[in-house]
Every structure is written in structure tokens, then in C-alpha cells.
Amino acid sequence: MNKPVVYSGIQPTGIITIGNYIGAITNWLKLSDEYDCIYGIADLHALTVRQVPAEYRQRAMSFFAQYLACGLDPRKNVLYFQSHVHEHAELSWILNCFTYIGEMQRMTQFKDKSQKHQDNINIGLLDYPVLMAADILLYQTSLVPVGADQKQHLEITRDIAIRFNNLYSPTFTVPEAYIPKQGARVFSLQDPTAKMSKSDPDPNAAVSIIEDPDSIMRKFRRAVTDSDSVVRYDPELKPGVSNLMTIMSEMGGMSIEEIEKNYSDKGYAAFKSACAEAVIERLRPVRERYASLTTDKEYLAGIAKEGAVRASAIARRTMSKVKRKVGLVELK
Ligand code: TYM
């Protein structure tokens, strides 16, 4: 690794949505040339909520195939599963000892998730951001491309890194969040004031990146808008239409102004269909590549293994530095 490092990941829960694609994956693709990029399947993170083991294993593998289907080249990027590199859990423990309970209790995601899963407010849920900090800091990451909802986790990662560096000596690169100006928060198609979530129980709220075209069209036609019929960008007064415009712009390549000019007087039905078309076309190669990748389980397993080996080599270096700094006895 000789370029600055980019690190990011997705939890294998629900489906990979167009929100994940627009907010994160498109930037992962853009950064592939200029940086050494490492993209993980955050499968330890998703254990903080109950998973059915057989389904979970299958979903994690499917997400991995979707990374590749999106166009992430395994020769250019390190693609791997977090659970295959034990240093994540190891560094996470050490960083726990440099993180305060109060800091974790203030995290918005912890508050939300403990509301949603009141019967299972486990330590992992509270500790989630520390594991995420470990993911990022293990690889001496400079840049973390994520959606707006991860901003707070990036801030605490920086705080932990700075705290550790100040206590000992520079050990971790202090990472920056890379959050896009447009598309950092894609909203639900059914409730344009709520984030599009990959595990929304309402199937009409989110669109998967490998969804079939008819279903995409149906979901966009049903998308909640307003009673007016003018296509105009106004997130305050017209959140539904503005969200669709953002999606269309990101997926189809037209600017918001161009969309406004072309569709302002065409009515919502035509606009929604055009928006769905842009999504369908953009995702066509992803869907096709995914279909052929899933038939080649051995190829996927090989890529995962190679990714784990490459990731481990970097993680090991950071881990041995950290252990030395905190005063653990080295095994000669
Ligand atoms: P996760 O799995 O919830 O989401 C994956 C990525 O998608 C972004 N995202 C969105 N962007 C725009 N609009 C939306 N509606 C939307 N929903 C999600 C997220 O911001 C994220 O970038 N904790 C992380 C996974 C993780 C991670 C990491 C990320 C684990 N370790 C290290 C970066 C670095 C998460 O739960 O993302």
C-alpha cells in the first residue's frame, strides 16, 4: 500500500439500497484509482441485532457479490469480510479502554436502536462505534466515504485516534469523512422525511440495487409525493419530489436544474416513470453481473480469501504497533 487509504463498509442486514449506492458506493467507485481502497462486509457489526444464522451467512455472501457487481475490481480494491480479520475485535477491545461510556450513550444510532430493540440492548449496540473506529484505524485510513448518517461515528473515531496519539505518540492516521454534497441522505419512498433504510419493514420504502425493473417501476409510481403537480426542488415544502429529483440526478446524471427544466410541467406520473427508468438503466449492469457472479461460488470464496489475506497483513502491522505502545509484552 503506498497511496493514502480509503476504508468503508456496509452491514449485511436487509438489502443494499439505492440509498447505500448513492450515499456510499458511487464514491467508493470514484476513489478506486487515486487511493488504496479497502471495503469490508461489516458482519461483526450486524451481530448487534439478532440474525438467523443460515440466512445471515447467505446474505453476507450476497452482499459481497453485490460489491463486485457494482464494479469494485478486486485487483484494485481489497474486498473482504470483517470477521475474517481478527484484529478488528482485538483493536476494538483496546480502544474500548480509551472510550467513555457517556460518549457512547450520546450516539444517535445507539439511542435509535435501543428504542427499536428494547428487548436486546446489548453491550455490542453501545460499543458499535468503537468497533467501527477499530475498522477504520487498523488500516491507517485517510478518507472514509459514507452517507450523512455516519458522520457522528466518524467524529468519535477521530476523537479516539487523537486521544490515543496524544497519550502515546502518533500511532493512527486521523481519518476524514467523505460525505457527498448531494445524495448523502436518500429518503424513504413512502415517508420522505425518514431515511431510506435497508431493513425497512415496508417493502415499498426502499429499492434494492439488484431489484427487477418492473418492481422498481412500481415502487417509484407509488412513491409518496404531494398534492401539487409541479416538479420543483424544495426539500422543505416538497420533500417527496425533491428526494426523487436527487435520486434521478444521481442515477441518471442530469443536474437538478435540468430535471426541473425538463419535467416541471409534465406532471408527476411522467416524472416518476422517468426517475424509475434512470434507476433501472443505471442498475442494469449491476443486476446482470450479480446474476452471473452468484453462480460462481468458488470465485467469490477465492476473492474473499485473497481480500482477507491482504487486509490481515496491514491490520497486523498496526496491531503490533498498538500493543507495543500500550505496553503489552511482545512474543519473540
Ligand atoms: P450501513 O450499512 O447502515 O450503510 C452503508 C453505507 O450507506 C450509507 N447510507 C446512506 N446514504 C445515503 N442515504 C441513505 N438513506 C443511506 N443509508 C445508508 C451509510 O452512511 C453508509 O456509508 N456502521 C456502518 C458500516 C460500517 C462502516 C465501518 C462504515 C462498519 N464499519 C467503517 C465506514 C467505515 C453502517 O451501519 O452503514
Side-chain angles (χ1 to χ4, degrees):
M1 294 256 164
N2 40 31
K3 298 179 198 161
V5 175
V6 160
Y7 186 94
S8 201
I10 297 184
Q11 285 193 83
T13 51
I15 52 171
I16 300 187
T17 70
I18 53 171
N20 303 130
Y21 188 79
I22 294 170
I25 297 175
T26 49
N27 288 321
W28 299 7
L29 292 162
K30 275 188 213 150
L31 297 167
S32 279
D33 288 327
E34 260 181 82
Y35 292 84
D36 281 329
C37 300
I38 309 175
Y39 300 120
I41 298 286
D43 53 355
L44 295 176
H45 272 108
L47 291 179
T48 51
V49 297
R50 290 279 170 267
Q51 306 292 345
V52 178
E55 276 174 23
Y56 189 48
R57 199 170 290 125
Q58 217 172 23
R59 190 177 325 107
M61 209 57 210
S62 159
F63 272 39
F64 192 67
Q66 290 177 60
Y67 275 16
L68 292 162
C70 284
L72 291 170
D73 181 345
R75 283 163 304 183
K76 277 208 251 168
N77 306 278
V78 176
L79 307 175
Y80 78 109
F81 291 78
Q82 181 189 35
S83 64
H84 292 165
V85 178
H86 62 74
E87 283 84 356
H88 288 258
E90 205 178 353
L91 180 59
S92 173
W93 173 257
I94 294 187
L95 297 181
N96 275 336
C97 305
F98 297 87
T99 308
Y100 300 102
I101 294 178
E103 290 177 310
M104 296 296 98
Q105 285 168 329
R106 282 196 290 276
M107 293 285 123
T108 323
Q109 185 177 298
F110 171 68
K111 290 190 210 159
D112 288 351
K113 285 206 177 164
S114 30
Q115 271 291 322
K116 258 194 222 147
H117 305 278
Q118 290 196 13
D119 53 339
N120 183 23
I121 308 179
N122 58 67
I123 304 276
L125 213 52
L126 181 68
D127 201 26
Y128 183 109
V130 180
L131 179 58
M132 184 160 156
D135 297 346
I136 297 167
L137 301 181
L138 258 186
Y139 300 99
Q140 305 295 347
T141 304
S142 297
L143 214 55
V144 186
V146 282
D149 62 336
Q150 297 298 318
K151 190 164 178 262
Q152 201 181 31
H153 289 159
L154 256 296
E155 280 160 8
I156 195 73
T157 300
R158 289 171 56 86
D159 290 347
I160 296 171
I162 292 169
R163 187 174 299 158
F164 192 100
N165 287 350
N166 286 344
L167 265 170
Y168 300 97
S169 52
T171 307
F172 299 119
T173 302
V174 180
E176 302 268 351
Y178 183 93
I179 298 173
K181 284 203 178 63
Q182 178 178 291
R185 194 180 290 276
V186 173
F187 296 93
S188 155
L189 297 184
Q190 288 302 306
D191 174 4
T193 61
K195 182 184 94 162
M196 181 180 283
S197 157
K198 53 219 271 272
S199 37
D200 197 311
D202 178 352
N204 290 318
V207 168
S208 148
I209 60 169
I210 49 168
E211 194 150 328
D212 78 83
D214 290 349
S215 171
I216 297 179
M217 184 57 82
R218 225 176 308 118
K219 287 186 184 179
F220 275 93
R221 285 201 175 130
R222 280 191 199 154
V224 170
T225 44
D226 49 56
S227 51
D228 171 20
S229 65
V230 185
V231 175
R232 179 166 54 82
Y233 189 76
D234 184 343
E236 290 288 311
L237 295 175
K238 297 168 77 68
V241 169
S242 303
N243 185 41
L244 296 183
M245 291 173 83
T246 302
I247 294 173
M248 185 169 178
S249 168
E250 285 294 317
M251 299 300 267
M254 248 193 264
S255 69
I256 296 286
E257 293 73 32
E258 283 171 315
I259 297 172
E260 218 162 57
K261 209 163 86 202
N262 291 341
Y263 293 95
S264 63
D265 56 354
K266 298 273 188 339
Y268 285 170
F271 165 62
K272 285 176 170 179
S273 298
C275 185
E277 279 305 336
V279 173
I280 291 167
E281 280 318 309
R282 174 71 174 268
L283 295 177
R284 189 178 300 284
V286 178
R287 205 166 41 244
E288 287 171 0
R289 276 196 294 258
Y290 177 76
S292 73
L293 277 165
T294 47
T295 60
D296 201 344
K297 301 241 170 348
E298 255 171 61
Y299 171 73
L300 290 174
I303 299 291
K305 191 158 189 183
E306 199 183 302
V309 169
R310 289 166 70 194
S312 294
I314 310 164
R316 219 172 10 244
R317 278 204 296 277
T318 301
M319 207 55 228
S320 97
K321 194 159 133 189
V322 169
K323 283 177 161 173
R324 213 171 39 242
K325 298 259 177 140
V326 298
L328 296 172
V329 174
E330 278 174 87
L331 192 61
K332 301 270 181 200

